[in-house]
């Protein structure tokens, strides 16, 4: 089992090492396409490989002509089968954090919750890989209030770190509506940047594909890098739609994306929030 994981990890790293070469070849083919389309002379640096590049361009279709990186490979099989999510907490959770984990298990279909006990992160991840789990969620707290959420995609990552605030549990909401276990529809609002698309993929593939008749909806709404999580049931009455909140609700703030799994501290950091980041274009999701 350990040898298989080591081999898969080496294959993953090897494919990642090929990204630079594939990107260079993609740029060379783009230059050749542009020169041919505009009727200009072939650039000097491309003339030696003209026959090879022309043949590659002829063999390409809509999918193969695009350059693919490891971000695509991480979720290449997503949607083929329903995801299986494992939810746990930090050690010795308070009653409120344990309740939060229970409610997250109801929010995410096909999720399982386990008490952390004395298990290490490495043990949990190795067990989940052996069982075919697709994602791990770890909830953290400070003084009894949930304030952190880690989403780790298996088997190779990525791992996203979110801060939580204004957490209101389902049982804190007066007159809360009954909760359905149907697969929910998802709404992602204002995730238009490259970082926003990356965050959307991390969160979207926690959920299976819903049926059209499902009356359950989960909303992730981004406003100035704070993602509001809302969970509703809805009823249609002619042209009107009535929403009933079923909870929980909270605000999320992404502060790091790591390319490896949670137990790989040496993994590359794809993106991190800097306290004094001045470029708003890079900062906003």
């Amino acid at each position: 089992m350990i040898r298989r994981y080591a081999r898969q990890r080496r294959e993953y790293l090897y494919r990642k090492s090929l990204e630079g070469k594939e990107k260079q070849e993609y740029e060379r083919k783009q230059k050749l396409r542009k020169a041919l389309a505009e009727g200009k002379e072939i650039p000097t640096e491309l003339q030696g490989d003209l026959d090879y590049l022309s043949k590659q361009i002829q063999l390409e279709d809509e999918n193969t002509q695009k350059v693919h990186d490891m971000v695509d490979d991480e979720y290449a099989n997503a949607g083929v089968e329903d995801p299986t999510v494992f939810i746990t907490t930090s050690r010795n959770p308070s009653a409120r954090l344990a309740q939060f984990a229970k409610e997250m298990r109801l929010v995410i279909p096909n999720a399982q919750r386990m008490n952390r006990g004395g298990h290490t992160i490495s043990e949990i991840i190795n067990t989940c890989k052996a069982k075919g789990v697709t994602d791990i969620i770890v909830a953290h707290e400070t003084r009894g209030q949930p304030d952190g959420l880690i989403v780790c995609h298996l088997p190779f990552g990525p791992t996203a770190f979110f801060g939580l605030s204004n957490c209101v549990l389902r049982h804190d909401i007066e007159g809360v509506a009954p909760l359905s276990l149907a697969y929910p529809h998802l709404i992602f609002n204002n995730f238009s940047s490259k970082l926003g698309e990356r965050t959307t993929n991390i969160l979207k593939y926690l959920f299976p594909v819903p049926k059209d008749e499902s009356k359950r909806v989960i909303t992730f709404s981004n406003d100035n890098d704070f993602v509001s999580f809302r969970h509703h049931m809805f009823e249609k009455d002619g042209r009107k739609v009535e929403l009933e909140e079923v909870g929980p609700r909270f605000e999320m703030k992404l502060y790091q994306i790591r390319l490896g799994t949670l137990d790989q501290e040496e993994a590359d950091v794809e993106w991190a929030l800097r306290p004094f980041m001045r470029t708003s274009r890079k900062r906003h999701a």
Side-chain angles (χ1 to χ4, degrees):
M1 189 70 69
I2 296 177
R3 290 182 179 178
R4 186 183 68 174
Y5 292 148
R7 174 178 54 80
Q8 290 176 346
R9 181 66 182 171
R10 287 196 301 268
E11 292 175 354
Y12 175 80
L13 293 175
Y14 173 71
R15 292 197 307 269
K16 185 173 176 59
S17 68
L18 297 178
E19 284 185 16
K21 297 179 182 178
E22 293 177 355
K23 188 173 182 180
Q24 290 178 359
E25 183 173 331
Y26 171 77
E27 292 174 352
R28 289 162 61 85
K29 288 187 287 188
Q30 288 296 98
K31 289 181 181 179
L32 180 59
R33 284 194 184 96
K34 184 177 180 182
L36 294 175
E38 297 177 355
K40 295 182 179 180
E41 184 179 355
I42 304 299
T44 306
E45 65 271 17
L46 301 181
Q47 291 179 359
D49 298 329
L50 181 59
D51 293 339
Y52 169 77
L53 294 176
S54 300
K55 185 177 180 181
Q56 292 296 318
I57 291 176
Q58 292 176 359
L59 295 174
E60 288 177 343
D61 56 18
E62 294 181 357
N63 293 325
T64 57
Q65 71 179 0
K66 299 178 182 178
V67 61
H68 297 279
D69 56 19
M70 299 313 297
V71 173
D72 301 315
D73 288 347
E74 290 161 354
Y75 294 100
N77 297 324
V80 177
E81 296 181 356
D82 290 346
T84 304
V85 182
F86 180 88
I87 300 175
T88 189
T89 64
S90 54
R91 287 195 176 96
N92 301 319
S94 65
R96 188 169 180 81
L97 183 64
Q99 181 63 33
F100 176 76
K102 290 179 182 179
E103 294 189 7
M104 290 303 296
R105 182 184 65 82
L106 297 176
V107 167
I108 302 175
N110 302 327
Q112 299 178 0
R113 184 185 68 87
M114 188 191 81
N115 295 328
R116 174 72 176 273
H119 299 290
T120 64
I121 289 295
S122 297
E123 293 173 347
I124 293 174
I125 289 180
N126 290 334
T127 302
C128 289
K129 286 180 179 179
K131 297 295 184 180
V133 175
T134 59
D135 295 271
I136 297 176
I137 296 178
V138 183
H140 293 272
E141 66 179 341
T142 298
R143 297 179 181 177
Q145 290 294 330
D147 68 344
L149 202 66
I150 302 174
V151 180
C152 175
H153 183 65
L154 297 178
F156 304 123
T159 301
F161 298 80
F162 297 91
L164 298 185
S165 59
N166 303 328
C167 184
V168 179
L169 300 183
R170 172 176 163 80
H171 294 287
D172 297 334
I173 303 174
E174 295 184 3
V176 64
L179 175 62
S180 170
L181 297 181
Y183 293 174
H185 298 284
L186 302 179
I187 297 175
F188 288 90
N189 178 49
N190 199 20
F191 288 82
S192 56
S193 68
K194 188 174 182 180
L195 177 60
E197 293 175 358
R198 179 66 158 156
T199 306
T200 299
N201 285 339
I202 292 172
L203 297 174
K204 175 175 66 175
Y205 291 122
L206 294 174
F207 299 86
V209 179
K211 295 183 178 179
D212 293 338
E213 58 268 20
S214 175
K215 296 184 178 180
R216 183 180 171 201
V217 60
I218 291 177
T219 305
F220 296 90
S221 180
N222 176 42
D223 183 12
N224 198 26
D225 288 345
F226 283 92
V227 180
S228 298
F229 174 91
R230 298 294 185 268
H231 186 196
H232 295 89
M233 299 293 296
F234 68 89
E235 288 287 345
K236 290 184 179 180
D237 184 11
R239 301 180 66 178
K240 296 181 180 180
V241 177
E242 297 182 359
L243 289 177
E244 289 186 293
E245 186 174 9
V246 293
R249 65 171 181 259
F250 48 83
E251 315 299 322
M252 307 167 62
K253 187 173 181 66
L254 177 68
Y255 64 87
Q256 189 179 94
I257 299 177
R258 196 185 297 168
L259 286 177
T261 53
L262 183 56
D263 60 332
Q264 297 171 345
E265 297 182 359
E266 72 283 358
D268 294 337
V269 175
E270 178 183 345
W271 180 87
L273 176 66
R274 307 299 180 188
F276 301 102
M277 188 179 290
R278 298 167 65 180
T279 306
S280 59
R281 182 181 60 186
K282 295 181 180 179
R283 177 169 55 88
H284 292 300

